[in-house]
Amino acid sequence: MIGWMHHTPRRAVMSTCGITAVLLFVGTSAHVTGLFSHGLHPYDWAPGWLNLYWSSLALFATLAAVLLIRGKRQGIDLACAIMATDLAANWYTVHDIQHSNLAAQPRLQRLTAFATLVLGTAPFIRRHLTKCDDG
């Protein structure tokens, strides 16, 4: 590991985990609202597999946020997996289903910025978090 990654200030790690957890909870609220309003298929224009994926984020984003708040390494790992797959699903949706682009989609712009934050900071903060079995 690169030496300066090892020396990430604890305050930066805590701040990044907190911001990421809050933003994951914001995403969770959107997915929970969709579930309560429309069930497992909140987007009638999207294929079933995308609806199920987005609905599952109500659980997985919550789990990632809770693990991050507890300072667990699995939280950032799960957040990275969520952001990579959610970003891919949303880019697919915008480009192939809606026939649009990034410039016309503020929601996709925000998601891309958030994914960049999570994926870009993960290597710096991961080593400072504990494994779930570490107590």
Side-chain angles (χ1 to χ4, degrees):
M1 182 61 61
I2 300 172
W4 53 271
M5 283 187 185
H6 184 67
H7 300 293
T8 304
R10 182 120 176 100
R11 182 177 298 169
V13 172
M14 300 294 288
S15 296
T16 303
C17 288
I19 290 166
T20 301
V22 166
L23 293 174
L24 284 167
F25 280 132
V26 168
T28 293
S29 68
H31 296 295
V32 167
T33 300
L35 280 170
F36 283 135
S37 299
H38 306 287
L40 291 175
H41 295 89
Y43 308 103
D44 58 355
W45 49 266
W49 63 271
L50 266 176
N51 274 290
L52 291 176
Y53 169 73
W54 285 323
S55 293
S56 75
L57 291 181
L59 171 67
F60 291 117
T62 301
L63 178 60
V66 168
L67 288 168
L68 279 171
I69 289 168
R70 294 187 62 217
K72 302 300 181 186
R73 188 176 297 161
Q74 289 81 352
I76 196 65
D77 294 344
L78 182 55
C80 285
I82 288 168
M83 295 315 302
T85 57
D86 194 25
L87 191 60
N90 278 277
W91 273 93
Y92 166 76
T93 298
V94 166
H95 183 267
D96 291 352
I97 296 175
Q98 297 174 342
H99 305 292
S100 186
N101 59 44
L102 179 63
Q105 299 290 328
R107 193 177 77 69
L108 182 58
Q109 294 167 10
R110 291 188 299 272
L111 182 64
T112 301
F114 181 40
T116 300
L117 170 76
V118 172
L119 297 170
T121 61
F124 300 98
I125 65 172
R126 187 178 188 278
R127 68 183 309 105
H128 297 280
L129 303 174
T130 61
K131 295 180 182 174
C132 278
D133 58 345
D134 287 349

mmCIF file of all heavy atoms in Angstrom, residues 77-129:
data_model
loop_
_atom_site.group_PDB
_atom_site.id
_atom_site.type_symbol
_atom_site.label_atom_id
_atom_site.label_comp_id
_atom_site.label_asym_id
_atom_site.label_seq_id
_atom_site.Cartn_x
_atom_site.Cartn_y
_atom_site.Cartn_z
ATOM 1 N N ASP A 77 -16.891 -1.601 1.816
ATOM 2 C CA ASP A 77 -16.888 -2.598 0.735
ATOM 3 C C ASP A 77 -18.273 -2.696 0.097
ATOM 4 O O ASP A 77 -18.403 -2.687 -1.133
ATOM 5 C CB ASP A 77 -16.460 -3.972 1.259
ATOM 6 C CG ASP A 77 -15.014 -4.001 1.736
ATOM 7 O OD1 ASP A 77 -14.238 -3.083 1.396
ATOM 8 O OD2 ASP A 77 -14.662 -4.962 2.462
ATOM 9 N N LEU A 78 -19.297 -2.775 0.931
ATOM 10 C CA LEU A 78 -20.668 -2.854 0.423
ATOM 11 C C LEU A 78 -21.061 -1.557 -0.271
ATOM 12 O O LEU A 78 -21.695 -1.577 -1.329
ATOM 13 C CB LEU A 78 -21.649 -3.177 1.556
ATOM 14 C CG LEU A 78 -23.116 -3.349 1.182
ATOM 15 C CD1 LEU A 78 -23.303 -4.405 0.088
ATOM 16 C CD2 LEU A 78 -23.931 -3.717 2.423
ATOM 17 N N ALA A 79 -20.672 -0.428 0.285
ATOM 18 C CA ALA A 79 -20.972 0.859 -0.354
ATOM 19 C C ALA A 79 -20.337 0.939 -1.740
ATOM 20 O O ALA A 79 -20.967 1.425 -2.690
ATOM 21 C CB ALA A 79 -20.489 2.020 0.523
ATOM 22 N N CYS A 80 -19.115 0.452 -1.878
ATOM 23 C CA CYS A 80 -18.452 0.443 -3.196
ATOM 24 C C CYS A 80 -19.204 -0.446 -4.180
ATOM 25 O O CYS A 80 -19.408 -0.062 -5.336
ATOM 26 C CB CYS A 80 -17.002 -0.030 -3.060
ATOM 27 S SG CYS A 80 -15.896 1.194 -2.341
ATOM 28 N N ALA A 81 -19.615 -1.623 -3.719
ATOM 29 C CA ALA A 81 -20.368 -2.527 -4.599
ATOM 30 C C ALA A 81 -21.696 -1.894 -5.013
ATOM 31 O O ALA A 81 -22.092 -1.959 -6.186
ATOM 32 C CB ALA A 81 -20.613 -3.862 -3.900
ATOM 33 N N ILE A 82 -22.369 -1.267 -4.067
ATOM 34 C CA ILE A 82 -23.640 -0.598 -4.367
ATOM 35 C C ILE A 82 -23.427 0.516 -5.379
ATOM 36 O O ILE A 82 -24.157 0.633 -6.364
ATOM 37 C CB ILE A 82 -24.284 -0.048 -3.077
ATOM 38 C CG1 ILE A 82 -24.817 -1.182 -2.216
ATOM 39 C CG2 ILE A 82 -25.398 0.952 -3.411
ATOM 40 C CD1 ILE A 82 -25.201 -0.757 -0.815
ATOM 41 N N MET A 83 -22.444 1.359 -5.128
ATOM 42 C CA MET A 83 -22.243 2.512 -6.002
ATOM 43 C C MET A 83 -21.830 2.091 -7.410
ATOM 44 O O MET A 83 -22.309 2.665 -8.392
ATOM 45 C CB MET A 83 -21.202 3.468 -5.407
ATOM 46 C CG MET A 83 -21.651 4.106 -4.111
ATOM 47 S SD MET A 83 -23.350 4.738 -4.095
ATOM 48 C CE MET A 83 -23.338 5.881 -5.436
ATOM 49 N N ALA A 84 -20.970 1.094 -7.520
ATOM 50 C CA ALA A 84 -20.544 0.638 -8.850
ATOM 51 C C ALA A 84 -21.724 0.056 -9.630
ATOM 52 O O ALA A 84 -21.930 0.386 -10.804
ATOM 53 C CB ALA A 84 -19.423 -0.390 -8.717
ATOM 54 N N THR A 85 -22.530 -0.778 -8.973
ATOM 55 C CA THR A 85 -23.653 -1.401 -9.678
ATOM 56 C C THR A 85 -24.797 -0.423 -9.909
ATOM 57 O O THR A 85 -25.427 -0.451 -10.971
ATOM 58 C CB THR A 85 -24.159 -2.641 -8.917
ATOM 59 O OG1 THR A 85 -24.526 -2.274 -7.579
ATOM 60 C CG2 THR A 85 -23.096 -3.733 -8.878
ATOM 61 N N ASP A 86 -25.058 0.456 -8.937
ATOM 62 C CA ASP A 86 -26.131 1.431 -9.106
ATOM 63 C C ASP A 86 -25.775 2.432 -10.197
ATOM 64 O O ASP A 86 -26.634 2.813 -11.007
ATOM 65 C CB ASP A 86 -26.413 2.140 -7.787
ATOM 66 C CG ASP A 86 -27.731 2.905 -7.799
ATOM 67 O OD1 ASP A 86 -28.639 2.548 -8.585
ATOM 68 O OD2 ASP A 86 -27.858 3.862 -7.018
ATOM 69 N N LEU A 87 -24.542 2.838 -10.238
ATOM 70 C CA LEU A 87 -24.116 3.764 -11.291
ATOM 71 C C LEU A 87 -24.237 3.106 -12.664
ATOM 72 O O LEU A 87 -24.752 3.711 -13.604
ATOM 73 C CB LEU A 87 -22.683 4.229 -11.039
ATOM 74 C CG LEU A 87 -22.198 5.385 -11.900
ATOM 75 C CD1 LEU A 87 -23.059 6.626 -11.685
ATOM 76 C CD2 LEU A 87 -20.742 5.692 -11.580
ATOM 77 N N ALA A 88 -23.816 1.850 -12.764
ATOM 78 C CA ALA A 88 -23.941 1.130 -14.043
ATOM 79 C C ALA A 88 -25.409 0.984 -14.443
ATOM 80 O O ALA A 88 -25.767 1.199 -15.610
ATOM 81 C CB ALA A 88 -23.276 -0.242 -13.942
ATOM 82 N N ALA A 89 -26.272 0.643 -13.483
ATOM 83 C CA ALA A 89 -27.695 0.483 -13.781
ATOM 84 C C ALA A 89 -28.318 1.805 -14.231
ATOM 85 O O ALA A 89 -29.123 1.842 -15.172
ATOM 86 C CB ALA A 89 -28.428 -0.050 -12.546
ATOM 87 N N ASN A 90 -27.944 2.886 -13.583
ATOM 88 C CA ASN A 90 -28.506 4.187 -13.940
ATOM 89 C C ASN A 90 -27.968 4.701 -15.270
ATOM 90 O O ASN A 90 -28.710 5.304 -16.043
ATOM 91 C CB ASN A 90 -28.264 5.196 -12.809
ATOM 92 C CG ASN A 90 -29.298 5.059 -11.728
ATOM 93 O OD1 ASN A 90 -30.389 5.599 -11.835
ATOM 94 N ND2 ASN A 90 -28.981 4.306 -10.686
ATOM 95 N N TRP A 91 -26.692 4.473 -15.533
ATOM 96 C CA TRP A 91 -26.155 4.858 -16.849
ATOM 97 C C TRP A 91 -26.846 4.068 -17.954
ATOM 98 O O TRP A 91 -27.185 4.612 -19.002
ATOM 99 C CB TRP A 91 -24.639 4.642 -16.904
ATOM 100 C CG TRP A 91 -23.869 5.820 -16.400
ATOM 101 C CD1 TRP A 91 -23.431 6.020 -15.125
ATOM 102 C CD2 TRP A 91 -23.478 6.971 -17.145
ATOM 103 N NE1 TRP A 91 -22.786 7.222 -15.041
ATOM 104 C CE2 TRP A 91 -22.786 7.827 -16.266
ATOM 105 C CE3 TRP A 91 -23.638 7.356 -18.471
ATOM 106 C CZ2 TRP A 91 -22.253 9.048 -16.672
ATOM 107 C CZ3 TRP A 91 -23.102 8.573 -18.866
ATOM 108 C CH2 TRP A 91 -22.424 9.400 -17.978
ATOM 109 N N TYR A 92 -27.050 2.768 -17.712
ATOM 110 C CA TYR A 92 -27.763 1.927 -18.682
ATOM 111 C C TYR A 92 -29.172 2.486 -18.912
ATOM 112 O O TYR A 92 -29.626 2.616 -20.055
ATOM 113 C CB TYR A 92 -27.835 0.481 -18.185
ATOM 114 C CG TYR A 92 -28.822 -0.364 -18.937
ATOM 115 C CD1 TYR A 92 -28.529 -0.841 -20.213
ATOM 116 C CD2 TYR A 92 -30.061 -0.673 -18.388
ATOM 117 C CE1 TYR A 92 -29.443 -1.612 -20.915
ATOM 118 C CE2 TYR A 92 -30.978 -1.440 -19.078
ATOM 119 C CZ TYR A 92 -30.665 -1.903 -20.345
ATOM 120 O OH TYR A 92 -31.582 -2.659 -21.042
ATOM 121 N N THR A 93 -29.844 2.818 -17.827
ATOM 122 C CA THR A 93 -31.204 3.345 -17.922
ATOM 123 C C THR A 93 -31.243 4.634 -18.730
ATOM 124 O O THR A 93 -32.062 4.781 -19.649
ATOM 125 C CB THR A 93 -31.769 3.596 -16.516
ATOM 126 O OG1 THR A 93 -31.820 2.355 -15.820
ATOM 127 C CG2 THR A 93 -33.147 4.199 -16.570
ATOM 128 N N VAL A 94 -30.380 5.563 -18.392
ATOM 129 C CA VAL A 94 -30.375 6.864 -19.070
ATOM 130 C C VAL A 94 -30.024 6.698 -20.546
ATOM 131 O O VAL A 94 -30.684 7.266 -21.424
ATOM 132 C CB VAL A 94 -29.403 7.836 -18.363
ATOM 133 C CG1 VAL A 94 -29.106 9.047 -19.222
ATOM 134 C CG2 VAL A 94 -29.981 8.254 -17.019
ATOM 135 N N HIS A 95 -29.008 5.917 -20.828
ATOM 136 C CA HIS A 95 -28.538 5.797 -22.215
ATOM 137 C C HIS A 95 -29.430 4.885 -23.059
ATOM 138 O O HIS A 95 -29.866 5.263 -24.150
ATOM 139 C CB HIS A 95 -27.095 5.276 -22.229
ATOM 140 C CG HIS A 95 -26.519 5.199 -23.593
ATOM 141 N ND1 HIS A 95 -26.565 4.053 -24.362
ATOM 142 C CD2 HIS A 95 -25.900 6.134 -24.356
ATOM 143 C CE1 HIS A 95 -25.995 4.289 -25.522
ATOM 144 N NE2 HIS A 95 -25.570 5.531 -25.548
ATOM 145 N N ASP A 96 -29.720 3.681 -22.579
ATOM 146 C CA ASP A 96 -30.397 2.673 -23.408
ATOM 147 C C ASP A 96 -31.918 2.664 -23.310
ATOM 148 O O ASP A 96 -32.590 2.256 -24.250
ATOM 149 C CB ASP A 96 -29.878 1.276 -23.072
ATOM 150 C CG ASP A 96 -28.442 1.069 -23.526
ATOM 151 O OD1 ASP A 96 -27.901 1.942 -24.236
ATOM 152 O OD2 ASP A 96 -27.859 0.038 -23.166
ATOM 153 N N ILE A 97 -32.468 3.074 -22.191
ATOM 154 C CA ILE A 97 -33.925 3.048 -22.032
ATOM 155 C C ILE A 97 -34.529 4.422 -22.282
ATOM 156 O O ILE A 97 -35.497 4.563 -23.017
ATOM 157 C CB ILE A 97 -34.323 2.520 -20.637
ATOM 158 C CG1 ILE A 97 -33.869 1.067 -20.474
ATOM 159 C CG2 ILE A 97 -35.834 2.620 -20.426
ATOM 160 C CD1 ILE A 97 -34.093 0.485 -19.089
ATOM 161 N N GLN A 98 -33.946 5.441 -21.668
ATOM 162 C CA GLN A 98 -34.499 6.784 -21.795
ATOM 163 C C GLN A 98 -33.902 7.560 -22.968
ATOM 164 O O GLN A 98 -34.378 8.646 -23.287
ATOM 165 C CB GLN A 98 -34.279 7.564 -20.492
ATOM 166 C CG GLN A 98 -35.008 6.942 -19.324
ATOM 167 C CD GLN A 98 -34.684 7.624 -18.003
ATOM 168 O OE1 GLN A 98 -33.699 8.338 -17.864
ATOM 169 N NE2 GLN A 98 -35.539 7.377 -17.013
ATOM 170 N N HIS A 99 -32.855 7.034 -23.565
ATOM 171 C CA HIS A 99 -32.187 7.671 -24.712
ATOM 172 C C HIS A 99 -31.844 9.130 -24.400
ATOM 173 O O HIS A 99 -32.162 10.043 -25.153
ATOM 174 C CB HIS A 99 -33.028 7.561 -25.985
ATOM 175 C CG HIS A 99 -33.387 6.150 -26.288
ATOM 176 N ND1 HIS A 99 -32.463 5.214 -26.675
ATOM 177 C CD2 HIS A 99 -34.571 5.507 -26.223
ATOM 178 C CE1 HIS A 99 -33.054 4.040 -26.859
ATOM 179 N NE2 HIS A 99 -34.339 4.195 -26.581
ATOM 180 N N SER A 100 -31.184 9.295 -23.261
ATOM 181 C CA SER A 100 -30.798 10.619 -22.791
ATOM 182 C C SER A 100 -29.286 10.622 -22.560
ATOM 183 O O SER A 100 -28.593 9.709 -23.001
ATOM 184 C CB SER A 100 -31.571 10.940 -21.506
ATOM 185 O OG SER A 100 -31.330 12.270 -21.098
ATOM 186 N N ASN A 101 -28.800 11.643 -21.850
ATOM 187 C CA ASN A 101 -27.371 11.710 -21.561
ATOM 188 C C ASN A 101 -27.147 12.367 -20.208
ATOM 189 O O ASN A 101 -28.079 12.874 -19.580
ATOM 190 C CB ASN A 101 -26.621 12.454 -22.676
ATOM 191 C CG ASN A 101 -27.136 13.866 -22.863
ATOM 192 O OD1 ASN A 101 -27.372 14.592 -21.900
ATOM 193 N ND2 ASN A 101 -27.331 14.258 -24.108
ATOM 194 N N LEU A 102 -25.910 12.381 -19.775
ATOM 195 C CA LEU A 102 -25.557 12.903 -18.461
ATOM 196 C C LEU A 102 -25.958 14.367 -18.300
ATOM 197 O O LEU A 102 -26.468 14.769 -17.255
ATOM 198 C CB LEU A 102 -24.046 12.745 -18.226
ATOM 199 C CG LEU A 102 -23.498 13.256 -16.905
ATOM 200 C CD1 LEU A 102 -24.095 12.470 -15.739
ATOM 201 C CD2 LEU A 102 -21.986 13.171 -16.890
ATOM 202 N N ALA A 103 -25.759 15.171 -19.331
ATOM 203 C CA ALA A 103 -26.049 16.603 -19.247
ATOM 204 C C ALA A 103 -27.530 16.879 -18.957
ATOM 205 O O ALA A 103 -27.868 17.867 -18.314
ATOM 206 C CB ALA A 103 -25.633 17.305 -20.530
ATOM 207 N N ALA A 104 -28.396 16.002 -19.401
ATOM 208 C CA ALA A 104 -29.840 16.201 -19.236
ATOM 209 C C ALA A 104 -30.400 15.527 -17.984
ATOM 210 O O ALA A 104 -31.607 15.588 -17.745
ATOM 211 C CB ALA A 104 -30.567 15.664 -20.467
ATOM 212 N N GLN A 105 -29.553 14.910 -17.177
ATOM 213 C CA GLN A 105 -30.022 14.122 -16.032
ATOM 214 C C GLN A 105 -29.337 14.558 -14.731
ATOM 215 O O GLN A 105 -28.327 13.979 -14.319
ATOM 216 C CB GLN A 105 -29.738 12.638 -16.284
ATOM 217 C CG GLN A 105 -30.429 12.052 -17.492
ATOM 218 C CD GLN A 105 -31.917 11.933 -17.282
ATOM 219 O OE1 GLN A 105 -32.386 11.722 -16.165
ATOM 220 N NE2 GLN A 105 -32.672 12.061 -18.353
ATOM 221 N N PRO A 106 -29.874 15.553 -14.037
ATOM 222 C CA PRO A 106 -29.251 16.005 -12.779
ATOM 223 C C PRO A 106 -29.130 14.893 -11.735
ATOM 224 O O PRO A 106 -28.162 14.851 -10.980
ATOM 225 C CB PRO A 106 -30.184 17.108 -12.276
ATOM 226 C CG PRO A 106 -31.000 17.511 -13.451
ATOM 227 C CD PRO A 106 -31.033 16.347 -14.391
ATOM 228 N N ARG A 107 -30.114 13.993 -11.697
ATOM 229 C CA ARG A 107 -30.046 12.886 -10.731
ATOM 230 C C ARG A 107 -28.842 12.002 -11.009
ATOM 231 O O ARG A 107 -28.134 11.572 -10.093
ATOM 232 C CB ARG A 107 -31.340 12.078 -10.755
ATOM 233 C CG ARG A 107 -31.466 11.115 -9.579
ATOM 234 C CD ARG A 107 -32.788 10.380 -9.585
ATOM 235 N NE ARG A 107 -32.869 9.306 -10.543
ATOM 236 C CZ ARG A 107 -32.182 8.165 -10.447
ATOM 237 N NH1 ARG A 107 -31.355 7.977 -9.458
ATOM 238 N NH2 ARG A 107 -32.335 7.221 -11.339
ATOM 239 N N LEU A 108 -28.584 11.724 -12.273
ATOM 240 C CA LEU A 108 -27.422 10.912 -12.644
ATOM 241 C C LEU A 108 -26.128 11.674 -12.356
ATOM 242 O O LEU A 108 -25.134 11.073 -11.952
ATOM 243 C CB LEU A 108 -27.499 10.507 -14.120
ATOM 244 C CG LEU A 108 -26.364 9.618 -14.619
ATOM 245 C CD1 LEU A 108 -26.274 8.315 -13.825
ATOM 246 C CD2 LEU A 108 -26.536 9.328 -16.107
ATOM 247 N N GLN A 109 -26.140 12.967 -12.504
ATOM 248 C CA GLN A 109 -24.960 13.779 -12.172
ATOM 249 C C GLN A 109 -24.644 13.660 -10.681
ATOM 250 O O GLN A 109 -23.487 13.473 -10.286
ATOM 251 C CB GLN A 109 -25.198 15.240 -12.547
ATOM 252 C CG GLN A 109 -25.331 15.480 -14.029
ATOM 253 C CD GLN A 109 -25.867 16.864 -14.355
ATOM 254 O OE1 GLN A 109 -25.983 17.727 -13.484
ATOM 255 N NE2 GLN A 109 -26.205 17.081 -15.614
ATOM 256 N N ARG A 110 -25.674 13.752 -9.835
ATOM 257 C CA ARG A 110 -25.464 13.626 -8.387
ATOM 258 C C ARG A 110 -24.995 12.226 -8.020
ATOM 259 O O ARG A 110 -24.092 12.067 -7.187
ATOM 260 C CB ARG A 110 -26.753 13.974 -7.636
ATOM 261 C CG ARG A 110 -27.128 15.438 -7.707
ATOM 262 C CD ARG A 110 -28.293 15.787 -6.797
ATOM 263 N NE ARG A 110 -29.518 15.063 -7.115
ATOM 264 C CZ ARG A 110 -30.429 15.477 -7.989
ATOM 265 N NH1 ARG A 110 -30.252 16.612 -8.638
ATOM 266 N NH2 ARG A 110 -31.515 14.774 -8.207
ATOM 267 N N LEU A 111 -25.579 11.212 -8.638
ATOM 268 C CA LEU A 111 -25.179 9.838 -8.364
ATOM 269 C C LEU A 111 -23.729 9.602 -8.794
ATOM 270 O O LEU A 111 -22.965 8.941 -8.082
ATOM 271 C CB LEU A 111 -26.110 8.850 -9.084
ATOM 272 C CG LEU A 111 -25.829 7.371 -8.828
ATOM 273 C CD1 LEU A 111 -26.050 7.030 -7.358
ATOM 274 C CD2 LEU A 111 -26.712 6.517 -9.708
ATOM 275 N N THR A 112 -23.334 10.153 -9.915
ATOM 276 C CA THR A 112 -21.959 10.013 -10.390
ATOM 277 C C THR A 112 -20.981 10.688 -9.422
ATOM 278 O O THR A 112 -19.919 10.133 -9.112
ATOM 279 C CB THR A 112 -21.818 10.597 -11.814
ATOM 280 O OG1 THR A 112 -22.717 9.895 -12.681
ATOM 281 C CG2 THR A 112 -20.402 10.463 -12.334
ATOM 282 N N ALA A 113 -21.352 11.857 -8.926
ATOM 283 C CA ALA A 113 -20.496 12.549 -7.951
ATOM 284 C C ALA A 113 -20.373 11.734 -6.667
ATOM 285 O O ALA A 113 -19.270 11.596 -6.103
ATOM 286 C CB ALA A 113 -21.055 13.937 -7.657
ATOM 287 N N PHE A 114 -21.475 11.183 -6.196
ATOM 288 C CA PHE A 114 -21.452 10.372 -4.978
ATOM 289 C C PHE A 114 -20.624 9.107 -5.188
ATOM 290 O O PHE A 114 -19.813 8.736 -4.327
ATOM 291 C CB PHE A 114 -22.881 10.047 -4.535
ATOM 292 C CG PHE A 114 -22.959 9.236 -3.267
ATOM 293 C CD1 PHE A 114 -22.116 9.473 -2.195
ATOM 294 C CD2 PHE A 114 -23.915 8.241 -3.144
ATOM 295 C CE1 PHE A 114 -22.209 8.731 -1.029
ATOM 296 C CE2 PHE A 114 -24.022 7.492 -1.982
ATOM 297 C CZ PHE A 114 -23.164 7.736 -0.926
ATOM 298 N N ALA A 115 -20.801 8.450 -6.321
ATOM 299 C CA ALA A 115 -20.016 7.244 -6.618
ATOM 300 C C ALA A 115 -18.527 7.572 -6.668
ATOM 301 O O ALA A 115 -17.696 6.806 -6.171
ATOM 302 C CB ALA A 115 -20.473 6.625 -7.932
ATOM 303 N N THR A 116 -18.194 8.721 -7.228
ATOM 304 C CA THR A 116 -16.796 9.149 -7.289
ATOM 305 C C THR A 116 -16.240 9.351 -5.882
ATOM 306 O O THR A 116 -15.114 8.940 -5.580
ATOM 307 C CB THR A 116 -16.666 10.445 -8.116
ATOM 308 O OG1 THR A 116 -17.157 10.182 -9.438
ATOM 309 C CG2 THR A 116 -15.228 10.916 -8.191
ATOM 310 N N LEU A 117 -17.038 9.968 -5.003
ATOM 311 C CA LEU A 117 -16.626 10.144 -3.610
ATOM 312 C C LEU A 117 -16.371 8.796 -2.944
ATOM 313 O O LEU A 117 -15.311 8.572 -2.352
ATOM 314 C CB LEU A 117 -17.698 10.917 -2.826
ATOM 315 C CG LEU A 117 -17.489 10.941 -1.302
ATOM 316 C CD1 LEU A 117 -16.381 11.919 -0.936
ATOM 317 C CD2 LEU A 117 -18.773 11.269 -0.583
ATOM 318 N N VAL A 118 -17.323 7.892 -3.043
ATOM 319 C CA VAL A 118 -17.210 6.596 -2.362
ATOM 320 C C VAL A 118 -16.046 5.785 -2.929
ATOM 321 O O VAL A 118 -15.184 5.308 -2.189
ATOM 322 C CB VAL A 118 -18.531 5.801 -2.470
ATOM 323 C CG1 VAL A 118 -18.363 4.380 -1.945
ATOM 324 C CG2 VAL A 118 -19.638 6.514 -1.704
ATOM 325 N N LEU A 119 -16.024 5.626 -4.236
ATOM 326 C CA LEU A 119 -14.995 4.787 -4.854
ATOM 327 C C LEU A 119 -13.611 5.433 -4.765
ATOM 328 O O LEU A 119 -12.608 4.722 -4.640
ATOM 329 C CB LEU A 119 -15.365 4.493 -6.308
ATOM 330 C CG LEU A 119 -16.670 3.701 -6.484
ATOM 331 C CD1 LEU A 119 -17.076 3.665 -7.955
ATOM 332 C CD2 LEU A 119 -16.545 2.295 -5.915
ATOM 333 N N GLY A 120 -13.562 6.760 -4.816
ATOM 334 C CA GLY A 120 -12.275 7.451 -4.750
ATOM 335 C C GLY A 120 -11.661 7.495 -3.367
ATOM 336 O O GLY A 120 -10.440 7.523 -3.226
ATOM 337 N N THR A 121 -12.493 7.510 -2.329
ATOM 338 C CA THR A 121 -11.964 7.585 -0.961
ATOM 339 C C THR A 121 -11.807 6.220 -0.301
ATOM 340 O O THR A 121 -11.083 6.102 0.693
ATOM 341 C CB THR A 121 -12.857 8.469 -0.072
ATOM 342 O OG1 THR A 121 -14.175 7.909 -0.012
ATOM 343 C CG2 THR A 121 -12.895 9.902 -0.572
ATOM 344 N N ALA A 122 -12.449 5.211 -0.826
ATOM 345 C CA ALA A 122 -12.421 3.883 -0.200
ATOM 346 C C ALA A 122 -11.007 3.371 0.097
ATOM 347 O O ALA A 122 -10.756 2.873 1.200
ATOM 348 C CB ALA A 122 -13.203 2.878 -1.045
ATOM 349 N N PRO A 123 -10.074 3.469 -0.841
ATOM 350 C CA PRO A 123 -8.733 2.949 -0.527
ATOM 351 C C PRO A 123 -8.055 3.688 0.632
ATOM 352 O O PRO A 123 -7.244 3.102 1.345
ATOM 353 C CB PRO A 123 -7.938 3.167 -1.817
ATOM 354 C CG PRO A 123 -8.944 3.361 -2.883
ATOM 355 C CD PRO A 123 -10.153 3.943 -2.223
ATOM 356 N N PHE A 124 -8.399 4.946 0.839
ATOM 357 C CA PHE A 124 -7.777 5.735 1.892
ATOM 358 C C PHE A 124 -8.358 5.421 3.264
ATOM 359 O O PHE A 124 -7.659 5.499 4.268
ATOM 360 C CB PHE A 124 -7.944 7.227 1.598
ATOM 361 C CG PHE A 124 -7.319 7.644 0.307
ATOM 362 C CD1 PHE A 124 -8.088 7.779 -0.828
ATOM 363 C CD2 PHE A 124 -5.958 7.880 0.220
ATOM 364 C CE1 PHE A 124 -7.513 8.156 -2.032
ATOM 365 C CE2 PHE A 124 -5.370 8.249 -0.974
ATOM 366 C CZ PHE A 124 -6.153 8.384 -2.110
ATOM 367 N N ILE A 125 -9.654 5.110 3.299
ATOM 368 C CA ILE A 125 -10.284 4.925 4.606
ATOM 369 C C ILE A 125 -10.441 3.461 5.001
ATOM 370 O O ILE A 125 -10.538 3.154 6.179
ATOM 371 C CB ILE A 125 -11.657 5.634 4.669
ATOM 372 C CG1 ILE A 125 -12.649 5.021 3.707
ATOM 373 C CG2 ILE A 125 -11.506 7.112 4.427
ATOM 374 C CD1 ILE A 125 -14.054 5.552 3.862
ATOM 375 N N ARG A 126 -10.445 2.555 4.032
ATOM 376 C CA ARG A 126 -10.729 1.148 4.322
ATOM 377 C C ARG A 126 -9.801 0.562 5.377
ATOM 378 O O ARG A 126 -10.230 -0.127 6.289
ATOM 379 C CB ARG A 126 -10.659 0.327 3.037
ATOM 380 C CG ARG A 126 -11.103 -1.097 3.234
ATOM 381 C CD ARG A 126 -11.066 -1.875 1.926
ATOM 382 N NE ARG A 126 -11.674 -3.172 2.103
ATOM 383 C CZ ARG A 126 -11.038 -4.211 2.616
ATOM 384 N NH1 ARG A 126 -9.771 -4.115 2.982
ATOM 385 N NH2 ARG A 126 -11.664 -5.366 2.772
ATOM 386 N N ARG A 127 -8.539 0.847 5.277
ATOM 387 C CA ARG A 127 -7.566 0.249 6.193
ATOM 388 C C ARG A 127 -7.728 0.747 7.632
ATOM 389 O O ARG A 127 -7.225 0.143 8.563
ATOM 390 C CB ARG A 127 -6.158 0.465 5.692
ATOM 391 C CG ARG A 127 -5.695 1.893 5.730
ATOM 392 C CD ARG A 127 -4.301 2.117 5.149
ATOM 393 N NE ARG A 127 -3.292 1.239 5.666
ATOM 394 C CZ ARG A 127 -2.755 0.188 5.003
ATOM 395 N NH1 ARG A 127 -3.123 -0.069 3.789
ATOM 396 N NH2 ARG A 127 -1.847 -0.563 5.548
ATOM 397 N N HIS A 128 -8.443 1.847 7.825
ATOM 398 C CA HIS A 128 -8.661 2.384 9.161
ATOM 399 C C HIS A 128 -9.920 1.820 9.822
ATOM 400 O O HIS A 128 -10.174 2.108 10.993
ATOM 401 C CB HIS A 128 -8.766 3.913 9.108
ATOM 402 C CG HIS A 128 -7.497 4.548 8.635
ATOM 403 N ND1 HIS A 128 -6.415 4.735 9.458
ATOM 404 C CD2 HIS A 128 -7.141 5.020 7.414
ATOM 405 C CE1 HIS A 128 -5.442 5.310 8.759
ATOM 406 N NE2 HIS A 128 -5.858 5.494 7.535
ATOM 407 N N LEU A 129 -10.702 1.060 9.070
ATOM 408 C CA LEU A 129 -11.931 0.479 9.613
ATOM 409 C C LEU A 129 -11.646 -0.937 10.087
ATOM 410 O O LEU A 129 -10.688 -1.578 9.642
ATOM 411 C CB LEU A 129 -13.024 0.494 8.536
ATOM 412 C CG LEU A 129 -13.347 1.874 7.964
ATOM 413 C CD1 LEU A 129 -14.330 1.752 6.806
ATOM 414 C CD2 LEU A 129 -13.877 2.798 9.032
#
